[in-house]
């Protein structure tokens, strides 16, 4: 489920709905802006545009303000100059910590408190090297900031922090996106894969299931605790089992260092027709085929969008990686890990309305194996002709 920032903008949501309209019209030209607004609202876990607007009004002015001493400590440790305003939270905390906006005499910065549970997939130096190489190759992104001591991560009063340049851009995109956007996403992915940076393993998120709890057992626990989504989980079990069987027994591919989460939540319009890519903290190892098929899942594309993604990739790389259904294995594993974790959080905090809505949304929007098969068919258009 998409998450509203701590101080959401209705103008940003209107822009997201207009962007989403382009993608929806690739499948159905008759879709209206009002329908796109409803679709976007549902992606945020609300039934209607009016409900989403009411939540935006409720959240206005509720961003947290960091202690001034913390803001000064971050600015001093990373050599950002004197603080000129309050350091305000950007979004609620997640497994990567919490993001803050910091303004100093040298500009605006994205400062992240990494929290006590942060566990990177690759070390920060490896991830920063990927960002710097991608930026040099033409990918627009918020570059990481090194402290005067040359470190990406610094400990300040027992908390770990990192800082990136603030890259001005629009709101995150929503799925499905239009064909023009998908073509550029394919180009960006091909650029990153073309760097061919080594990594020692496939990302654990994509390699294996973290908690091997049977779905039936989790559904029974949810029902016993009165979770509103218990019946939805029970109904989804056959499709979850079918998804988990994809690529079963296939060997792990040779991984390359990838963005590892190149979905709509980490892509924004940056002006002049360019896209800004964030979320590099998720960097890890996948094969090009795995990440390309992962994009098919996360962008919820129709055939037109899938073809545009492949077109953009081939335009930059000169070819498509070899694709078949087993290439969805990594993204399916990541989805299962995320779903299991989010359902567990919802069970542990039954009064958290956000976690409840998130669980309901995830279960209502699981991909179907038949949909993945149809999306993969779009790649057949790009296969070389067979000469008899």
């Amino acid at each position: 489920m998409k998450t509203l920032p701590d101080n959401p903008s209705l103008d940003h949501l209107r822009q997201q709905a207009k962007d989403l309209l382009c993608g929806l019209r690739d499948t159905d030209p008759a879709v209206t802006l009002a329908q796109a607004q409803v679709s976007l609202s549902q992606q945020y876990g609300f039934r209607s545009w009016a409900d989403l607007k009411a939540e935006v009004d409720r959240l206005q002015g509720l961003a947290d303000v960091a202690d001034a001493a913390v803001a000064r400590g971050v600015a001093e440790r990373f050599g950002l100059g004197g603080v000129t305003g309050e350091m305000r939270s950007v979004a609620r905390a997640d497994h990567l910590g919490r993001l803050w906006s910091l303004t100093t005499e040298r500009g605006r910065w994205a400062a992240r408190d990494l929290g006590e549970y942060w566990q990177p997939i690759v070390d920060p130096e490896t991830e920063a090297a990927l960002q710097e190489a991608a930026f040099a190759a033409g990918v627009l992104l918020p570059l990481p900031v090194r402290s005067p001591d040359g470190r990406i991560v610094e400990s300040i009063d027992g908390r770990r922090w990192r800082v990136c340049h603030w890259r001005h851009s629009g709101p995150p995109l929503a799925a499905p996106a239009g064909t023009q956007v998908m073509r550029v996403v394919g180009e960006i992915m091909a650029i990153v894969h073309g760097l061919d940076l080594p990594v020692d393993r496939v990302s654990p998120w994509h390699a294996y299931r973290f908690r091997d709890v049977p779905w039936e057992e989790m559904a029974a626990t949810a029902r016993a605790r009165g979770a509103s989504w218990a019946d939805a989980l029970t109904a989804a079990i056959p499709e979850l089992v079918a998804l988990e069987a994809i690529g079963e027994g296939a060997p792990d591919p040779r991984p390359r260092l990838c963005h590892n989460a190149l979905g709509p939540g980490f892509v924004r319009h940056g002006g002049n027709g360019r896209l800004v890519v964030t979320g590099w903290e998720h960097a890890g190892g996948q094969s090009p085929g795995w990440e390309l098929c992962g994009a098919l899942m996360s962008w919820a594309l129709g055939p037109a969008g899938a073809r545009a993604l492949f077109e953009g990739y081939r335009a930059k790389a000169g070819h498509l990686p070899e694709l078949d259904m087993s290439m969805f294995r990594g993204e399916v594993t990541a989805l299962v890990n995320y779903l299991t974790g989010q359902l567990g959080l919802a069970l542990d905090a039954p009064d958290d309305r956000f976690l409840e809505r998130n669980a309901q949304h995830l279960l209502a929007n699981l991909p179907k194996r038949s949909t993945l098969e149809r999306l993969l068919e779009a790649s057949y258009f790009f296969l070389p002709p067979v000469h008899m």
Side-chain angles (χ1 to χ4, degrees), residues 215-216 219 223 229-244 335-336 339 343 359-369:
W215 296 115
E216 292 82 2
R223 190 171 298 105
W229 43 268
D231 289 344
L233 174 57
T234 300
I237 288 175
E239 194 61 56
L240 285 167
V241 172
L243 286 172
E244 288 183 301
L335 170 64
V336 167
L339 177 63
L343 295 184
Q360 292 169 341
H361 175 82
L362 288 170
L363 291 168
N365 291 277
L366 290 172
K368 296 183 180 297
R369 181 182 178 119

Side-chain angles (χ1 to χ4, degrees), residues 68 70-76 80-87 102-105:
V70 174
R72 288 195 301 270
V74 172
E76 291 171 2
L80 307 179
V83 176
T84 58
E86 294 176 326
M87 186 165 81
L102 173 61
T103 304
T104 72
E105 58 192 10

